[in-house]
């Protein structure tokens, strides 16, 4: 007989594992099925984020940033390190150690919360029966659930004429594993992954060219912020070619030949490695039986309502496999909300206050609307900004490029958007998220005491500047 659970979660990434832990905390008998296998051949919970996404990319971004600063910036502090070198295999080993610690941590949390983990591929059948094909065997187990949460995540999009081969033409997984610095690295797509992983290998010595189809750089980001970031990336040597369409890529004698079209001109570029980072799409292969009652959208995502409920009222779906931004924290918050709804609690997530961060140097972070969106929506707004170069802390750090820009409703002064480019933008944005979640105004931020000297003073001063009363800049 099939084992019975209150909740079965399919997928153990930040959407699924967080949902499973919260459901168990709320007293429900919970199972989580995940098929990811770690380098040691055992189950590695945590999904894309912990294994081949957020965490390993940040580990390499930090290692490569130390190397870059040591080479280029510490001299200004009077620190001479002599000849600096690095060891890629040690960097990769450090990254793998962090991943193992965190994926093992999730397994420990499952044990502590009495979540039963299954290592295998889950498929939802009719009446919330779930079939598990156990990893590394032909065995099939059946589970029965009162409620099912689908959290199967996403996969990289491939483009026609450019075939992944896992060695020369790679996705994020391959680009986190280069055993030596590629001399010439091509990146298709100057989006989040392209910029983050392009930065890693550029700092470690690759000549990096990013091939971006769109004519604008980072169109999802506020224009002033995107412009400031583009300037810094150029200085760092990232060669970002906008309006460039890739027609095909071929590997010949260990060299990737990429045919591109820019304007009316066609040319061939040669690289040692090519990273394709043109977006991700929901992964639902083999997830649903035809009679399970759950529908997909035209884009192949699991169809859900605003509470993440699918077309079967006892089945929910969260994270990258549904609509909304493909971000780990969005997936986790949806997972918590769904577990609480199942337990009969009121729960929701505010999509308007989900922060975005790009972990380049400078970091780029934002929440809410940008100027272009507000103009398109016909909303009247006021703008305030402040450069980190006018903060004592930025100068003391030796990293004072960038700025804070705030947008507030012209009539009510409610904060509608916050955009930061600069050091620690990833941490600074949290204050603006809190302010927006509480429907705070720019005046609220202007009246809060910010510690001196900190980078957060730029948020304070941007809020003051919005009312033309910043102290440490000329108000315009
Ligand atoms: P996933 O993390 O993809 O987890 C889904 C899991 O389900 C996987 O383990 C998969 O193997 C498993 N699975 C799928 N189908 C089945 C099945 N049928 N049976 C069993 N198991 C199944 N987001 C951020 O917020 N911050 C970042 O810094 C960041 N960096 C990123 C860097 C990279 C290189 C990449 C690729 C992504 C990054 N993301 C980042 C995005 C983030 O990883 C995703 O938004 C997040 O992982 C989504 O969580 P999820 O639980 O929906 O899916
Ligand atoms: P992306 O959407 O951020 O960027 C893809 C880029 O590729 C876009 O600029 C797009 O215009 C371009 N593009 C698309 N087709 C192209 C083509 N044929 N030729 C050239 N350029 C093309 O996607 P991504 O970088 O692959 O990342 C996927 C998702 O993963 C992100 O959207 C984000 O949700 C998530 N992610 C988040 C973080 C983070 O939060 N720091 C980091 C990495 C990934």
């Amino acid at each position: 007989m099939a084992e019975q659970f209150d909740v079965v979660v399919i997928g153990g990434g930040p959407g699924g594992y967080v949902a499973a832990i919260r459901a168990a905390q709320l007293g429900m008998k919970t199972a989580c099925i995940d098929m990811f296998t770690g380098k040691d051949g055992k189950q590695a919970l945590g999904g894309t984020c912990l294994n081949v996404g957020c965490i390993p990319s940040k580990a390499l971004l930090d290692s490569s940033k130390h190397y870059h600063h040591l080479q280029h910036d510490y001299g200004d502090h009077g620190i001479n390190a002599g000849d600096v070198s690095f060891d890629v295999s040690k960097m990769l080993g450090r990254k793998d150690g962090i991943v193992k610690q965190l994926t093992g941590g999730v397994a420990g949390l499952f044990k502590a919360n009495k979540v039963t983990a299954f290592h295998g591929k889950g498929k939802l059948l009719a009446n919330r029966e779930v079939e598990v094909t156990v990893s590394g065997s032909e065995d099939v187990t059946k589970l029965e659930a009162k409620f099912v949460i689908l959290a199967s995540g996403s996969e990289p999009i491939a483009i026609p004429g450019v075939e992944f081969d896992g060695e020369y033409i790679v996705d994020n997984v391959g680009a986190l594993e280069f055993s030596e610095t590629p001399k010439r690295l091509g990146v298709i797509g100057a989006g989040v992954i392209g910029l983050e992983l392009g930065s890693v290998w550029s700092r470690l010595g690759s000549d990096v060219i990013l091939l971006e189809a769109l004519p604008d750089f980072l169109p999802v980001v506020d224009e002033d912020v995107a412009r400031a970031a583009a300037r810094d990336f150029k200085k760092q040597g990232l060669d970002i070619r906008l309006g460039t369409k890739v027609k095909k890529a071929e590997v010949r004698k260990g060299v990737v030949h990429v045919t591109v079209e820019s304007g009316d001109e066609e040319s061939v570029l040669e690289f040692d490695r090519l990273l394709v980072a043109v977006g991700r799409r929901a992964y639902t292969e083999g997830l649903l039986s035809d009679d399970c009652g759950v529908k997909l959208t035209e884009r192949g995502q699991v169809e859900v309502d605003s509470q993440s409920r699918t077309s079967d009222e006892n089945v929910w779906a969260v994270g990258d496999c549904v609509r909304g931004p493909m971000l780990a924290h969005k997936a986790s918050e949806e997972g918590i909300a769904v577990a609480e709804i199942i337990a009969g609690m009121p729960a929701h997530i505010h999509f308007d206050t989900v922060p975005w961060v790009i972990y380049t140097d400078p970091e780029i972070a934002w929440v809410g609307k940008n100027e272009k969106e507000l103009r398109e929506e016909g909303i009247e707004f006021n703008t305030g900004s402040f450069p980190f170069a006018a903060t004592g802390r930025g100068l003391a750090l030796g990293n004072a490029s960038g700025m804070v820009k705030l947008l507030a409703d012209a009539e009510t002064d409610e904060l509608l958007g916050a955009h930061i480019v600069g050091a620690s933008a990833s941490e600074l944005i949290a204050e603006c998220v809190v302010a927006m979640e509480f429907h705070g105004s720019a005046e609220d931020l202007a009246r809060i005491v910010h510690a001196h000297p900190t980078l957060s003073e730029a948020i304070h001063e941007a809020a003051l500047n919005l009312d033309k009363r910043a102290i440490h800049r000329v108000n315009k």
Side-chain angles (χ1 to χ4, degrees):
M1 203 181 110
E3 197 175 348
Q4 316 272 320
F5 288 90
D6 294 319
V7 177
V8 167
V9 183
I10 305 182
Y17 86 73
V18 169
I21 290 174
R22 186 69 188 120
Q25 282 175 348
L26 291 166
M28 293 180 272
K29 186 180 173 198
T30 304
C32 181
I33 307 159
D34 191 274
M35 63 187 187
F36 200 96
T37 302
K39 286 187 175 171
D40 58 3
K42 297 189 184 137
Q43 182 172 39
L45 292 160
T48 303
C49 174
L50 266 54
N51 287 290
V52 289
C54 326
I55 299 303
S57 61
K58 267 79 250 175
L60 291 185
L61 275 159
D62 270 314
S63 295
S64 60
K65 194 154 91 176
H66 287 306
Y67 175 65
H68 185 87
H69 284 327
L70 199 52
Q71 273 190 315
H72 300 282
D73 305 322
Y74 288 172
D76 287 347
H77 291 262
I79 300 168
N80 299 311
D83 280 343
V84 185
S85 63
F86 65 90
D87 178 342
V88 175
S89 65
K90 200 156 181 189
M91 270 185 203
L92 297 184
R94 173 182 175 275
K95 163 194 71 95
D96 291 343
I98 295 166
V99 168
K100 200 163 175 15
Q101 189 175 340
L102 289 175
T103 56
V106 175
L109 289 170
F110 272 11
K111 269 204 188 100
N113 285 285
K114 302 195 172 51
V115 174
T116 308
F118 288 88
H119 186 196
K121 178 142 185 162
K123 182 175 195 171
L124 179 65
L125 311 178
N127 303 316
R128 290 176 312 290
E129 208 177 12
V130 178
E131 180 186 90
V132 186
T133 307
V134 179
S135 288
S137 81
E138 310 257 293
D139 295 353
V140 174
T141 306
K142 283 214 174 145
L143 315 177
E144 274 173 15
K146 290 186 189 143
F147 306 100
V148 171
I149 303 174
L150 305 171
S152 55
S154 61
E155 61 178 349
I157 293 175
I159 51 176
V162 185
E163 301 259 324
F164 290 115
D165 63 16
E167 186 178 2
Y168 296 99
I169 302 180
V170 299
D171 58 14
N172 55 298
V173 179
L176 289 163
E177 292 295 337
F178 294 146
S179 57
E180 55 186 53
T181 303
K183 197 166 160 359
R184 299 163 300 177
L185 173 64
V187 180
I188 309 183
V192 194
I193 293 180
L195 288 170
E196 289 188 354
L197 294 182
S199 293
V200 165
W201 293 107
S202 160
R203 291 168 192 167
L204 297 179
S206 289
D207 291 327
V208 177
I209 299 180
L210 293 106
L211 307 166
E212 168 60 50
L214 292 179
D216 298 321
F217 178 58
L218 282 181
V220 291
V221 171
D222 185 87
E223 284 171 1
D224 289 335
V225 165
R227 214 173 297 123
R231 261 197 313 270
D232 278 8
F233 294 151
K234 196 170 174 192
K235 267 192 236 152
Q236 289 161 26
L238 285 180
D239 182 351
I240 301 170
R241 302 196 184 170
L242 302 174
T244 304
K245 294 194 176 64
V246 172
K247 311 210 62 177
K248 62 175 177 180
E250 286 164 336
V251 182
R252 291 198 296 273
K253 294 187 184 151
V255 175
V256 192
H257 299 257
V258 182
T259 309
V260 298
E261 192 183 81
S262 181
D264 292 335
E265 279 184 30
E266 198 169 281
S267 55
V268 179
L269 300 169
E270 292 183 7
F271 299 108
D272 300 297
R273 294 288 183 276
L274 181 68
L275 161 62
V276 183
V278 294
R280 297 177 64 85
R281 64 162 161 245
Y283 175 77
T284 57
E285 199 183 294
L287 178 68
L288 306 169
S289 71
D290 291 343
D291 57 353
C292 73
V294 172
K295 288 189 199 148
L296 297 181
T297 66
E298 274 177 8
R299 298 181 60 194
Q301 297 165 324
V302 179
E303 189 178 282
V304 287
D305 66 12
S306 60
Q307 286 200 313
S308 299
R309 198 188 292 256
T310 70
S311 37
D312 176 326
E313 62 173 355
N314 294 311
V315 179
W316 277 262
V318 300
D320 281 11
C321 69
V322 302
R323 45 82 191 112
M326 288 188 168
L327 296 172
H329 41 283
K330 175 264 192 183
S332 297
E333 291 306 320
E334 276 180 334
I336 290 174
V338 161
E340 293 182 351
I341 293 167
I342 290 173
M345 295 164 68
H348 71 286
I349 82 161
H350 271 160
F351 285 103
D352 293 346
T353 51
V354 174
W356 275 84
V357 178
I358 306 179
Y359 295 83
T360 42
D361 191 8
E363 292 183 345
I364 302 170
W366 72 96
V367 57
K369 310 255 185 209
N370 60 38
E371 270 200 43
K372 194 163 161 247
E373 289 164 338
L374 292 175
R375 268 188 255 115
E376 278 166 7
E377 290 173 30
I379 298 170
E380 300 275 315
F381 61 95
N382 290 324
T383 309
S385 64
F386 196 79
F388 288 114
T391 66
R393 189 62 191 278
L395 295 174
L397 276 174
N399 191 355
S401 84
M403 61 161 174
V404 174
K405 177 171 166 184
L406 301 177
L407 306 169
D409 189 286
E411 200 182 324
T412 64
D413 195 39
E414 180 170 344
L415 206 55
L416 300 175
H419 305 269
I420 307 178
V421 53
S424 300
S426 55
E427 303 292 343
L428 293 170
I429 197 70
E431 172 181 359
C432 304
V433 176
V434 173
M436 282 183 61
E437 186 65 33
F438 286 95
H439 296 282
S441 62
E443 184 64 18
D444 289 327
L445 289 179
R447 285 180 182 271
I448 289 171
V449 182
H450 289 74
H452 175 74
T454 59
L455 296 174
S456 72
E457 286 173 297
I459 295 177
H460 186 225
E461 290 271 11
L464 289 167
N465 174 247
L466 199 135
D467 191 36
K468 311 225 176 330
R469 55 185 222 266
I471 302 297
H472 295 94
R473 68 163 287 188
V474 178
N475 292 288
K476 285 188 200 141

